[in-house]
Amino acid sequence: MQFSADIDQRINENVDPCDDFYGYSCFNPTAENGTSSLLASSIQKQIQNRLKAGLQFGDGEAVKKYFDLYNKCKALNTEKNFKQTLMDYVHVFDALKADDYNQKIDSSQLAKIMAYTLVYHDFSMISWLDKTKCPHKRFSDFGHLLAFEAPHVLSHYIDDYRHPEKADGIKNAFRERYALVDSTLEAGDLTKTASEMYDLEMKIVNVMPTLPIASQIKVVQTLTVKEAMTALPKFNWGIFVTSLAAYGEVDLLNGTNLDDYPLMFDELNRTKAILDIISNTPAELFRNYIKTRIVLHLKTVLQNDCEALTTSTLPLVKQYLYITDSYPTAAERNNFKNSATKTVDNIIASVRKMLEAIPWIKNDSKTYAGFTAKIDKMKKLIGYPDGLDDQTKLDQLHADFVLSADESLSSLFAKCSKFLAKSLLDDRVKRMLDVTYSFPQNDFFSNRIVVPMGALQTYSPNYVTAAIYGGIGAVIGHEIMHGFDDSGFQVDSDGYINPWMSNSSQVHFNSMVQCVIDEYNTFDFTDSKGKAIKINGILTAGENVADHGGLRAAYNAFLGDPEWNRTFPRTLKLKNTTNEQLFFLAYNRGFCDPYGDAVSAAFDMYSPKRVRVFGTLREFEPFRKAFNCPDTSKYAPEKQCWHAASGAQKSDVYSVVSSIAASILLSVFLILIV
């Protein structure tokens, strides 16, 4: 009933769903009532409330350490202690300097500085600290290895740099933070240095363009330390690896010769460009910039009353509490996981049926073998990894996190930073595997679909089928489709970069993708301020196609579910709503967020949400039939990339399923792209 009430309040009966379905079912979206913000807010509140509630009966040692850390931080987190911690960190950083403070930083010193800032401040100009399964079979004997991706901090704020009106705000932030590092500088010098720091980051931002995911996979490279030293000589990769291991107190090499240790680069040319920028930056400016970033990091982590320090240092404990608070008993957790897994299995089966009927897949032995192997071996992680709700195992994983009674804020912060780095380096913690995340993922290099508990907030075994498949089901379908789009066909069933589609099939595939590109190039978007842009069909093609595929996979699975027509509670506006209509209302509910701005949309791999809904539904005949839209409506375009199979529709549910499945099987072939 709560779900129905939420749908009800979003419906604007003054809008014709056949003219503007987004406007009809997403009335007045705001930051406060947007579905994405509500979802994230709900998760955050649960985490915060648990921290405030404190220890409870039966909590284990790891949970006790979690609350001990939180309480120690709160007691120590004063302005005086913060300033002292800041000075302590700056002094440690200064110890890394060369004999001549202003001399050019060489490759060895730069490597040591980047290792230090990664371990103690989770910041680097060349990457962020992460490990991943190697996507190249040449290094299949290795487990997880260091991955060099776009610098996380700069990637996180990259959107701000694309708004010229935000430049002064960024410069002021640098100015205020650098003033804490050097209080002797006059106002003019502070302003000049802040502007130079802004320009430095802008240079790095400019070499981090937004690329379609497929393009990113094509340029992923894995090099040994020795090979990296040749390819990127401005950075001493050997010293970086050994320094990272020393700071994090982890044996990264594990018996491997340093020269042979592999490193994964998501884009080697970008890393090279960033190193070129650093090498051309005056040494004094570079060091002052790093110090300012240290201040920014400290301020960011500690400004939220120690919550950020606690949850980021001990993320597995945070996730354990989220799991066990949401489903207190093992029976409840098993029921939840089993039910959600069944839904995911149904959608995977739906994708299989859609794709295996496409002639250029089914009749091409190489392509069909690659497709079949990949979907047969596709793994699932639903809710949370097995064992994460095991208190004994959790205690063992945190046995080496020990706080003393006489911690200072400086020692506490250092201990926390090092423990997080160590947890990442020894594979206890995976960056992108956090059950409190509110979005599913396709883990390409593991051939695995990840649907974390946070994303399943809108799921319950007791929900009506239409709500499940129209909501989270379509999102899961979207992620599954990524495994078979222009990115997915480059990665085989074992997660190695090894294209499995034949040249002949790629010709058909590329033709279909071009249709999607051409279609979305005709769409435009106007933000709340009246600024309009044309959608970039090439940039957004992958996500657009996955939207189409996810919708069809979910709808087919919905109609194939024995309880597809299950009765649901009705509010006044929903009194005559059918299950098919509820499916589409639930689908749009997931996109019901504020419009965003045109500047950001121009660089986004996702089309604006209004466009995503319109572009997907206008190609889907079951939507038009569900709402009785005339052939002259906006949702009945003359030219379509997805052609529905003709044939009589029967009232029998299984005949309906079969007919729709057939149309999807013959149409979804145009759905491949992330």
Side-chain angles (χ1 to χ4, degrees):
M1 190 64 193
Q2 185 178 9
F3 182 87
S4 295
D6 185 71
I7 292 288
D8 180 291
Q9 71 177 3
R10 297 178 188 278
I11 290 177
N12 185 352
E13 294 181 303
N14 295 320
V15 176
D16 182 353
C18 296
D19 181 62
D20 179 9
F21 186 70
Y22 190 88
Y24 167 76
S25 57
C26 187
F27 177 68
N28 189 32
T30 65
E32 292 73 27
N33 67 16
T35 49
S36 296
S37 58
L38 284 174
L39 194 63
S41 176
S42 175
I43 295 170
Q44 195 60 33
K45 283 180 180 177
Q46 183 171 329
I47 294 169
Q48 291 172 341
N49 289 340
R50 186 63 168 92
L51 265 174
K52 293 174 182 177
L55 280 170
Q56 297 180 5
F57 178 77
D59 284 339
E61 288 301 314
V63 176
K64 291 177 182 177
K65 292 177 180 180
Y66 184 77
F67 287 106
D68 188 26
L69 168 58
Y70 180 62
N71 292 325
K72 281 185 184 298
C73 178
K74 287 178 66 178
L76 295 168
N77 191 16
T78 65
E79 187 65 25
K80 178 181 178 181
N81 288 342
F82 171 77
K83 289 182 177 179
Q84 182 59 53
T85 301
L86 173 62
M87 290 301 103
D88 290 344
Y89 268 75
V90 169
H91 291 327
V92 172
F93 177 76
D94 281 339
L96 300 173
K97 72 182 188 305
D99 293 334
D100 181 356
Y101 191 83
N102 293 314
Q103 77 173 32
K104 191 172 183 179
I105 299 171
D106 64 25
S107 63
S108 297
Q109 190 186 11
L110 178 60
K112 191 173 182 181
I113 289 173
M114 292 297 101
Y116 167 80
T117 57
L118 271 174
V119 171
Y120 286 103
H121 302 288
D122 200 20
F123 171 74
S124 167
M125 297 172 73
I126 61 170
S127 181
W128 61 328
L129 188 57
D130 196 17
K131 292 182 73 180
T132 187
K133 171 186 172 293
C134 184
H136 296 99
K137 208 161 190 176
R138 170 189 171 194
F139 299 101
S140 59
D141 291 339
F142 288 87
H144 290 86
L145 47 86
L146 290 172
F148 292 86
E149 306 175 35
H152 178 56
V153 173
L154 300 188
S155 296
H156 185 66
Y157 294 110
I158 192 171
D159 196 46
D160 289 342
Y161 281 87
R162 289 171 175 155
H163 291 75
E165 69 275 12
K166 295 185 179 182
D168 288 341
I170 299 172
K171 291 176 184 178
N172 285 336
F174 277 129
R175 189 179 187 277
E176 292 172 5
R177 301 302 183 258
Y178 186 58
L180 295 174
V181 176
D182 189 346
S183 59
T184 66
L185 287 180
E186 295 182 357
D189 291 330
L190 279 173
T191 300
K192 178 177 179 294
T193 301
S195 182
E196 291 172 341
M197 291 178 185
Y198 173 86
D199 292 341
L200 173 59
E201 285 203 346
M202 178 61 86
K203 290 177 183 177
I204 296 175
V205 166
N206 286 336
V207 301
M208 294 196 297
T210 301
L211 295 172
I213 292 177
S215 299
Q216 294 177 20
I217 288 181
K218 290 176 182 177
V219 297
V220 170
Q221 289 181 257
T222 304
L223 305 178
T224 64
V225 165
K226 184 177 181 179
E227 291 168 340
M229 293 286 285
T230 300
L232 302 166
K234 293 183 179 180
F235 192 82
N236 192 313
W237 298 96
I239 288 180
F240 175 78
V241 171
T242 55
S243 297
L244 198 61
Y247 286 133
E249 298 181 353
V250 173
D251 180 10
L252 283 176
L253 298 180
N254 195 26
T256 304
N257 183 285
L258 178 61
D259 282 348
D260 298 329
Y261 185 78
L263 309 168
M264 193 192 93
F265 297 87
D266 70 338
E267 192 174 347
L268 200 66
N269 287 336
R270 177 171 58 207
T271 303
K272 181 180 183 301
I274 293 174
L275 291 173
D276 287 341
I277 292 169
I278 294 174
S279 68
N280 291 320
T281 299
E284 183 178 8
L285 173 61
F286 173 79
R287 291 189 177 90
N288 290 338
Y289 167 76
I290 296 294
K291 290 178 183 179
T292 304
R293 269 292 170 194
I294 288 174
V295 179
L296 285 167
H297 177 68
L298 284 168
K299 200 74 173 174
T300 299
V301 172
L302 295 176
Q303 68 185 359
N304 295 324
D305 192 29
C306 296
E307 177 193 336
L309 180 66
T310 306
T311 57
S312 63
T313 302
L314 306 176
L316 296 182
V317 181
K318 174 197 70 175
Q319 295 172 64
Y320 166 84
L321 292 173
Y322 182 76
I323 295 166
T324 55
D325 287 347
S326 299
Y327 295 93
T329 69
E332 289 175 306
R333 295 194 289 274
N334 288 335
N335 181 47
F336 164 76
K337 290 191 74 170
N338 291 338
S339 177
T341 299
K342 180 181 177 182
T343 298
V344 175
D345 286 340
N346 289 343
I347 299 173
I348 291 176
S350 177
V351 170
R352 180 192 291 272
K353 289 179 182 178
M354 290 193 296
L355 300 186
E356 70 183 1
I358 297 172
W360 54 263
I361 291 180
K362 188 170 185 177
N363 298 330
D364 186 306
S365 58
K366 179 182 178 181
T367 301
Y368 188 71
F371 157 72
T372 303
K374 188 156 190 179
I375 203 161
D376 283 346
K377 289 186 178 182
M378 183 171 284
K379 297 182 284 292
K380 305 179 293 291
L381 196 164
I382 311 300
Y384 56 88
D386 291 340
L388 189 52
D389 58 343
D390 185 331
Q391 185 168 264
T392 300
K393 183 178 179 181
L394 190 73
D395 291 345
Q396 293 171 348
L397 289 171
H398 294 82
D400 55 340
F401 183 71
V402 180
L403 298 178
S404 63
D406 58 350
E407 297 284 0
S408 65
L409 185 62
S410 180
S411 67
L412 185 71
F413 196 89
K415 192 168 288 186
C416 289
S417 299
K418 181 177 287 189
F419 185 77
L420 174 61
K422 183 177 182 180
S423 298
L424 289 164
L425 291 171
D426 66 13
D427 298 325
R428 268 181 284 186
V429 171
K430 300 292 187 295
R431 283 256 189 211
M432 296 305 293
L433 185 54
D434 188 321
V435 306
T436 66
Y437 284 1
S438 58
F439 49 87
Q441 308 161 44
N442 189 317
D443 183 354
F444 276 107
F445 301 143
S446 297
N447 188 23
R448 179 176 64 174
I449 299 301
V450 179
V451 187
M453 276 190 65
L456 291 167
Q457 273 197 104
T458 55
Y459 173 86
S460 166
N462 299 320
Y463 279 4
V464 66
T465 310
I468 292 174
Y469 285 101
I472 188 63
V475 181
I476 294 170
H478 173 112
E479 292 303 326
I480 294 170
M481 288 304 305
H482 278 319
F484 306 98
D485 60 15
D486 63 340
S487 299
F489 81 69
Q490 298 176 53
V491 182
D492 66 19
S493 60
D494 295 316
Y496 294 116
I497 296 178
N498 178 28
W500 46 266
M501 189 179 288
S502 72
N503 292 335
S504 175
S505 291
Q506 285 187 51
V507 171
H508 292 285
F509 180 87
N510 292 339
S511 175
M512 298 170 193
V513 171
Q514 189 61 52
C515 180
V516 180
I517 292 171
D518 293 341
E519 178 184 23
Y520 279 77
N521 276 337
T522 67
F523 298 159
D524 55 28
F525 168 71
T526 303
D527 65 19
S528 58
K529 296 180 181 179
K531 184 174 180 59
I533 61 163
K534 282 285 185 183
I535 302 302
N536 185 328
I538 294 177
L539 180 62
T540 61
E543 300 300 333
N544 294 333
V545 180
D547 281 345
H548 284 277
L551 173 66
R552 285 162 169 76
Y555 193 77
N556 190 28
F558 156 59
L559 288 185
D561 192 294
E563 295 190 355
W564 78 276
N565 203 24
R566 179 179 169 188
T567 302
F568 61 92
R570 313 296 176 108
T571 60
L572 184 62
K573 290 181 183 177
L574 301 181
K575 62 181 180 180
N576 296 318
T577 301
T578 66
N579 278 271
E580 291 91 339
Q581 289 174 332
L582 182 65
F583 173 93
F584 293 109
L585 289 169
Y587 175 71
N588 188 71
R589 180 176 180 265
F591 294 98
C592 193
D593 286 302
Y595 288 2
D597 65 89
V599 174
S600 300
F603 295 93
D604 200 337
M605 289 189 294
Y606 293 89
S607 298
K609 293 184 177 181
R610 172 183 278 274
V611 174
R612 292 177 70 180
V613 171
F614 175 68
T616 306
L617 295 183
R618 76 193 292 265
E619 294 280 349
F620 197 41
E621 186 176 1
F623 166 77
R624 297 194 294 276
K625 290 184 176 181
F627 286 90
N628 298 312
C629 297
D631 292 341
T632 55
S633 79
K634 294 180 179 179
Y635 293 89
E638 181 177 343
K639 180 182 179 182
Q640 298 183 34
C641 292
W642 288 267
H643 304 287
S646 60
Q649 298 287 326
K650 298 181 181 180
S651 59
D652 179 77
V653 63
Y654 295 104
S655 296
V656 172
V657 172
S658 177
S659 178
I660 292 176
S663 70
I664 292 171
L665 296 173
L666 295 177
S667 62
V668 134
F669 59 89
L670 255 171
I671 295 181
L672 311 169
I673 266 198
V674 189

